[in-house]
Amino acid sequence: MLSLRSSEEKKKWLDEMQDEMKSLHDNHTFDLVKLPKGKKALKNRWIYKVKQERNSTSPMYKARLVVKGFRQRKCIDFNEIFSHVVKMSSIRIMLSWAATLDLEVEQVDVKTAFLHDDLEEEIYMKQPNAFLVEGKEYHVCRMRKSLYGLKQALRQWYEKFESVLCEPGYKKTTFDHCVFVKKFANNDFIILLLYVDEMLIVGKDISMINRLKKQLSESFAMKDMRDAKQILGLRIMRNKQEKKLWLS
């Protein structure tokens, strides 16, 4: 349950909701149409999250619109679904290598990750109650792109990300399909680990890592977190002098 303890906090949540809706419109995530006869519109809800960054006194507020995808019907508004996420064992192995070989470990978050690929199925969603468009209050959203909560959202996001990353020559590993590797001259390499909309990038040369970030930013709206500080809610602690790196 969201608690609005002050008018200032309420304004922050409303601003985040406005930003989320702007992202949906900017990405042409849906069109407003009249619901066709025989079709049903899925409901939605807002998910609120407060994230406290390390070494920061100001918490980060995040509001996300989520489709109630549990009401989807197989073979009608979804077919194949799967959820590729990086294995925890892969994260531990890569961080261990980074500590031993003194590698750079950078972190990038993808903004509105699921808004980047077109939907194949015909799906309708009700307008968010607080954001009904004037004059079209009884219209529904004809989904053009995937959105959080849809059963096929993870599948389509992964396929889109894989296609973009494979263009410059990165290949997914056989032991973990969310670990991508590219080898360069002089035994140099970059390893990318993907967990939904978070990624860790490991490599020797920071300039090459920055080049990869730039390539990815041409396809996705991203937030560069620079030195990796946390993954999956776990803090990444490092002592370079002692070549130690651990999760806490």
Side-chain angles (χ1 to χ4, degrees), residues 26 37 43 51 71 88 91 95 104 107 117 120-121 134 173 191 203 212-213 220:
D26 290 347
K37 186 175 291 188
K43 295 181 180 180
K51 186 176 181 181
R71 294 186 178 276
M88 194 64 199
I91 295 175
L95 292 180
E104 303 291 340
Q107 185 172 9
D117 205 13
E120 299 171 358
E121 299 84 1
E134 188 176 354
T173 62
I191 302 173
L212 172 59
K213 290 179 184 177
F220 309 114

Side-chain angles (χ1 to χ4, degrees), residues 126-176:
K126 294 184 177 181
Q127 293 187 64
N129 288 333
F131 294 91
L132 296 176
V133 175
E134 188 176 354
K136 295 185 177 181
E137 292 85 351
Y138 297 101
H139 283 51
V140 296
C141 303
R142 167 63 159 96
M143 304 305 297
R144 297 300 179 185
K145 296 189 178 181
S146 190
L147 189 64
Y148 296 94
L150 289 177
K151 290 183 179 293
Q152 59 268 68
L154 276 174
R155 170 179 62 85
Q156 296 208 221
W157 158 240
Y158 177 84
E159 289 179 353
K160 176 66 174 181
F161 184 83
E162 181 187 15
S163 66
V164 169
L165 198 59
C166 286
E167 283 185 14
Y170 286 82
K171 296 181 179 179
K172 61 185 179 184
T173 62
T174 55
F175 69 86
D176 191 330

Side-chain angles (χ1 to χ4, degrees), residues 54-103:
R54 189 176 60 172
N55 300 327
S56 174
T57 57
S58 301
M60 293 177 59
Y61 291 78
K62 179 63 181 177
R64 179 170 287 166
L65 184 66
V66 176
V67 183
K68 293 185 177 181
F70 59 85
R71 294 186 178 276
Q72 288 180 261
R73 296 160 294 173
K74 189 173 183 179
C75 298
I76 296 178
D77 47 21
F78 81 91
N79 293 298
E80 181 185 0
I81 61 173
F82 66 85
S83 176
H84 275 324
V85 292
V86 69
K87 300 173 184 177
M88 194 64 199
S89 58
S90 299
I91 295 175
R92 293 185 182 279
I93 290 171
M94 296 306 160
L95 292 180
S96 177
W97 285 359
T100 303
L101 302 176
D102 195 25
L103 304 176

